[in-house]
Amino acid sequence: VTPAPVAPPTDAPVTPATAPPTDAPVVTATLLERLSAIALGGAADFEDTTSYQYAAYEWLNSVPDIADYDDSALTELYALRCIYESTNGDSWTSKTGWTDDQTGDFDECAWYGITCSAADVVDSIDLNDNNLIGKLTPEVALLKSLELLELSYNNFQDSTIPTEIGGISTLKILNLISANVKGDASKDLEFLISAADSGESVLEQVWLDYNYDGVDFSGSRIPTEIGLLTTLTSFSLLYNDFAGTIPTEIGLCTNMESLYLTYNALTGEIPTEVGNMASLQVLSMYYNAISGSLPTELGLCTDMQEMYFQYNELTGQVPSEIGNLDTLFDFQFWYTYITGVMPSEVCDIPTEFRFVGNCPDYSFPFECACCAGVCYPDDAVPGSWAPL
């Protein structure tokens, strides 16, 4: 038998070599994309190339090595530049550091009006009386470690105080005296409500005095939520046009030392809960339309030094309990409907004092044997009297 032919052996098929794996390409977010994630309004904030947010972006784009900044540092720079761009920074009185050529290293902690913590994080802005003109920008709330915001004596052109400011949980002092800011009568200091609702506020001082140009706070009310801000030591609304009553919840502010409500349009009675404010030293509410009598609970405010009630619709008599205020040295209530005689307990207060009641020729005269002087003759109007 002839054997069957056998095919010659062949090499096993060779599998083509596979290229070694490579890492996926790293996609780096652009500056604009990063800022869009930071901005309060997202990418929409940069759609208008004339906006202060877009101007801040353009400036940041000129900063050397801006891509190396982490999100925290980038957020801080963006917030500060928004303040500059939204208030015509080129016209500021002082702007050292804010306008330096960005061709080398720079330190925002050395800029005019800025101080930083030991961790080089911005914790204070003091641009008082520095010719800031423009919008009070909500981006200031991006500064999450801010403790002091001092922007008094500038011109924010009737900007509403941003609600976002109330969300700065580290903020202790807010000063907007004579800054031409305004309130919203339908929202009643919404930033303050925001701070109260957060449950994290450490606000100690709020100064909103002299924002009376036009109708800046016309119709605004003191929100009941103020009672949740138990760290408050000073609250001042001098010379505005706040309306409504003084909320009873204000008595929960037991650390309050000074309460200035002068020159507003407040009505109703002084809440008896004011007696819970044992640390109160100054209570000023003259030039309002407050009615009722002086509450006897005022005698519980044993640290009190000054009380001003003149030009109100108060009635009744001075309560003898005010004699418990051993540190009281100035007590004024002229041009009210308070009558009678100063209680002997008040006259026995051991400080050098000035107590001023109504004038002799006023429809509701007041007798005070111990007052430093109730009234003096008004030379401009012979036979009449004027209060001290």
Side-chain angles (χ1 to χ4, degrees), residues 260-274:
Y260 296 96
L261 304 178
T262 299
Y263 273 97
N264 284 287
L266 298 172
T267 57
E269 300 185 3
I270 302 171
T272 58
E273 287 79 2
V274 72

Side-chain angles (χ1 to χ4, degrees), residues 172-176 189 191-192 203-209 229 232 234-237:
K172 295 181 179 179
I173 301 174
L174 174 64
N175 191 342
L176 293 172
L189 292 181
F191 84 93
L192 207 63
L203 264 177
E204 295 177 2
Q205 300 179 30
V206 175
W207 305 90
L208 301 178
D209 310 354
L229 300 175
L232 275 178
S234 297
F235 185 64
S236 187
L237 305 179

Side-chain angles (χ1 to χ4, degrees), residues 290-350:
I290 297 170
S291 58
S293 58
L294 295 176
T296 59
E297 287 80 3
L298 284 171
L300 300 174
C301 302
T302 52
D303 287 342
M304 190 74 77
Q305 298 175 15
E306 304 169 59
M307 295 194 297
Y308 306 102
F309 302 109
Q310 57 267 40
Y311 287 100
N312 277 291
E313 298 176 9
L314 294 166
T315 57
Q317 299 186 350
V318 175
S320 60
E321 287 80 359
I322 288 179
N324 297 329
L325 309 182
D326 288 346
T327 57
L328 184 67
F329 66 83
D330 206 345
F331 175 32
Q332 302 189 35
F333 52 92
W334 35 274
Y335 288 125
T336 66
Y337 302 125
I338 294 174
T339 58
V341 179
M342 185 71 80
S344 59
E345 293 88 345
V346 178
C347 286
D348 289 340
I349 291 177

Side-chain angles (χ1 to χ4, degrees), residues 69 73 76-77 80 106-112 114 116 120 122:
Y69 281 64
E76 191 165 270
L77 276 182
L80 292 175
F106 67 98
D107 178 13
E108 65 269 26
C109 294
W111 295 358
Y112 176 80
I114 302 297
C116 294
D120 288 333
V122 174

